[in-house]
Amino acid sequence: MNTSVWRIGQTLNSVQSTFVGLLRIWSIPLVLLLSLASGYTTYYGLSYFITDWIALIITVAVQSVIVICSLELAGCHWRANRVRFLTVGVTLAVALLVSVSFSYFKFYELSQQDNTLLARYRALDQNLNDYLDRVNKLKSALMAHQQKRAEAAAKEATQAYLGTLQGIRDESRKRVGKGPMWSHYNELQRAEENRLRQMETSFGELDQRITAARGTMQKFSSDLKNPALYAELMEQVRQVQSKADNLASVHGATPVLAPPWGSHAEFVRGITPSFAMWEDLSLFALACAAMVDFFTLVLSYRLEFSAPGPLTEEEKVLAFHGLREFSQFAINDNDELEFVFEKSELERAKRYPDWNRMFAVAFLLNRGFLRKVSERSVEFAPNLYPIVAECMRKELPQAGSAFHDGNVRQFVERKAHERRV
């Protein structure tokens, strides 16, 4: 029964190790893809400020530093080597700052694209309305001026009919009726009235074009990326401009200056990165830029923090026999088994050779089964416990009877004493 239970535990440990190994293998392409994505956004931002090939070199260097420093950070410890830890940490922070800062421009463009289009539409709508309002004011001024001319001509014709017109000879004054004087002023009145009617007709056509332009502008607001609607709008605006300029020249008025109308490609173009984007800070864009590098850092850190692969049977035996040569074990604050790998005072006095066990410690540190927590102590990684337990089981007599008798500690101490002797 005990043997079957132990085998089930071994199977579970094997399945868990395989699953963790697969996750580790999958983490490698994920790190590369995340680095590629972050590199693209970083290069996009850098290329607007420096030469393309220099931006590419800096991008490759920055992404490499992020991955390398993440791996280095997992392999060092604050208490073990503070200078190395600070150097790696500062280098990683600088690389992350560069990557996030220039990646922000791309994510800002993506997140603010709709807002930018809306802002451009509002500006276009405002410019068009201002222009059409000025055209309407010009039209009203010309109409009012012609209306006054028609009214003045009608008044003079009436005065000529009644003989009260100022500036005529005395014999023509107070002569009521349709005479040569009245006929002249009546012709002038008809000419002004005809001009007024022609102006009303022309202004009616202008009003139709203004109405059509406003309607197309309203339709364009629902589909800002439609180049056909934009082209139709610009054509109608040009017709309004042509008609307004023609009327102004005919009637001797100053034409209304129209604002520059760009192409649809200019209207929908992307945002040119600039440091002004930091003034209008987008927290969403900043979070997206930081998120990509954060995942790259975490996955790279975990790659080094976990063991690269299982140990062979010979390596397990080597590790077990090397570890049990140490005696100063303790449970640390991380709930991990920690031990001092330096010689004790007694061992120094006896000139104890510790090359084998020190090699085992260095080997397990390199493979990720041990973690250095200070200059003189290391702790077990979680995946080292089942290996030690398996080796202890094999060392126990009769397939683990001593384990079930509660004599593990005495057995291990006896075996350790036998090896020292």
Side-chain angles (χ1 to χ4, degrees):
M1 180 66 180
N2 293 330
T3 303
S4 61
V5 171
W6 183 266
R7 288 176 179 174
I8 292 174
Q10 280 185 311
T11 302
L12 291 176
N13 287 333
S14 177
V15 171
Q16 182 181 8
S17 300
T18 303
F19 179 72
V20 172
L22 291 175
L23 287 181
R24 181 179 177 84
I25 294 174
W26 177 238
S27 297
I28 296 174
L30 281 180
V31 169
L32 295 177
L33 290 174
L34 285 170
S35 296
L36 184 63
S38 179
Y40 167 73
T41 55
T42 303
Y43 170 77
Y44 180 85
L46 278 170
S47 61
Y48 278 90
F49 299 95
I50 57 178
T51 308
D52 289 347
W53 67 272
I54 297 179
L56 180 61
I57 293 174
I58 294 177
T59 299
V60 173
V62 167
Q63 296 305 315
S64 301
V65 167
I66 290 177
V67 175
I68 293 172
C69 287
S70 300
L71 296 173
E72 286 288 326
L73 195 65
C76 60
H77 197 280
W78 169 257
R79 290 187 297 169
N81 191 334
R82 296 184 179 181
V83 175
R84 179 188 176 192
F85 187 87
L86 285 175
T87 302
V88 173
V90 170
T91 305
L92 179 61
V94 172
L96 288 173
L97 180 62
V98 173
S99 179
V100 172
S101 298
F102 289 97
S103 295
Y104 168 79
F105 295 124
K106 181 61 178 178
F107 286 103
Y108 183 93
E109 177 184 350
L110 294 175
S111 63
Q112 299 297 316
Q113 186 174 12
D114 293 338
N115 293 335
T116 303
L117 279 180
L118 288 176
R120 290 173 182 172
Y121 169 77
R122 294 191 189 100
L124 177 64
D125 184 60
Q126 183 66 38
N127 291 336
L128 180 59
N129 285 329
D130 290 343
Y131 173 71
L132 296 180
D133 288 342
R134 293 197 301 271
V135 170
N136 282 326
K137 289 180 180 179
L138 174 63
K139 181 190 70 173
S140 299
L142 292 176
M143 182 68 73
H145 178 69
Q146 186 60 35
Q147 185 71 35
K148 289 180 180 179
R149 287 173 61 90
E151 290 176 356
K155 183 179 179 180
E156 289 178 347
T158 301
Q159 290 176 348
Y161 180 83
L162 297 175
T164 60
L165 187 63
Q166 300 292 328
I168 62 174
R169 294 179 297 180
D170 292 340
E171 60 268 16
S172 299
R173 293 179 64 84
K174 298 182 180 180
R175 182 181 295 177
V176 179
K178 297 180 180 180
M181 187 65 66
W182 173 83
S183 298
H184 173 72
Y185 281 98
N186 186 47
E187 288 295 330
L188 293 177
Q189 178 186 357
R190 289 180 180 180
E192 295 296 339
E193 288 177 350
N194 288 334
R195 186 177 297 177
L196 180 61
R197 283 191 294 270
Q198 291 175 359
M199 185 177 292
E200 288 175 349
T201 301
S202 299
F203 285 172
E205 296 176 359
L206 180 60
D207 288 338
Q208 291 177 359
R209 295 179 181 180
I210 290 175
T211 302
R214 291 188 188 276
T216 305
M217 189 68 180
Q218 187 65 31
K219 289 193 297 183
F220 181 65
S221 65
S222 61
D223 191 4
L224 298 178
K225 296 183 179 180
N226 190 335
L229 276 178
Y230 187 84
E232 181 182 353
L233 174 63
M234 290 297 102
E235 179 61 28
Q236 292 172 349
V237 170
R238 280 191 289 270
Q239 291 178 3
V240 171
Q241 185 176 351
S242 175
K243 190 67 176 177
D245 291 346
N246 183 47
L247 289 174
S249 62
V250 168
H251 296 284
T254 303
V256 178
L257 293 178
W261 313 107
S263 64
H264 186 261
E266 294 174 344
F267 182 81
V268 297
R269 74 183 186 279
I271 306 173
T272 301
S274 65
F275 289 105
M277 292 180 179
W278 287 105
E279 298 176 2
D280 184 22
L281 182 65
S282 172
L283 294 179
F284 176 77
L286 183 61
C288 289
M291 177 180 62
V292 177
D293 288 312
F294 173 76
F295 289 149
T296 305
L297 187 152
V298 171
L299 287 176
S300 301
Y301 184 86
R302 290 299 303 172
L303 278 174
E304 180 64 22
F305 197 68
S306 57
L311 299 176
T312 64
E313 292 300 323
E314 293 80 3
E315 290 172 340
K316 290 178 182 179
V317 173
L318 171 66
F320 177 69
H321 287 294
L323 291 176
R324 73 179 190 177
E325 295 289 334
F326 297 98
S327 58
Q328 302 182 53
F329 288 88
I331 305 297
N332 61 19
D333 294 336
N334 297 327
D335 294 331
E336 302 289 358
L337 189 60
E338 180 180 331
F339 65 92
V340 177
F341 56 83
E342 289 185 347
K343 291 181 181 179
S344 65
E345 295 297 331
L346 181 59
E347 289 172 338
R348 288 194 181 93
K350 292 184 176 181
R351 298 179 180 273
Y352 175 75
D354 62 345
W355 189 91
N356 290 336
R357 67 180 189 180
M358 292 300 289
F359 175 82
V361 170
F363 171 73
L364 293 176
L365 281 171
N366 259 283
R367 295 294 299 272
F369 289 91
L370 287 178
R371 304 168 186 160
K372 194 174 182 182
V373 295
S374 70
E375 294 181 355
R376 56 191 304 269
S377 62
V378 293
E379 67 178 11
F380 278 38
N383 47 6
L384 182 58
Y385 294 100
I387 295 175
V388 174
E390 180 184 351
C391 292
M392 290 176 63
R393 170 183 169 275
K394 292 179 180 179
E395 288 286 330
L396 295 176
Q398 297 179 0
S401 60
F403 179 82
H404 298 291
D405 291 341
N407 298 321
V408 176
R409 184 172 59 83
Q410 292 86 345
F411 175 78
V412 173
E413 289 178 353
R414 184 174 66 254
K415 296 293 289 184
H417 176 71
E418 291 174 357
R419 286 183 61 83
R420 289 192 178 94
V421 173

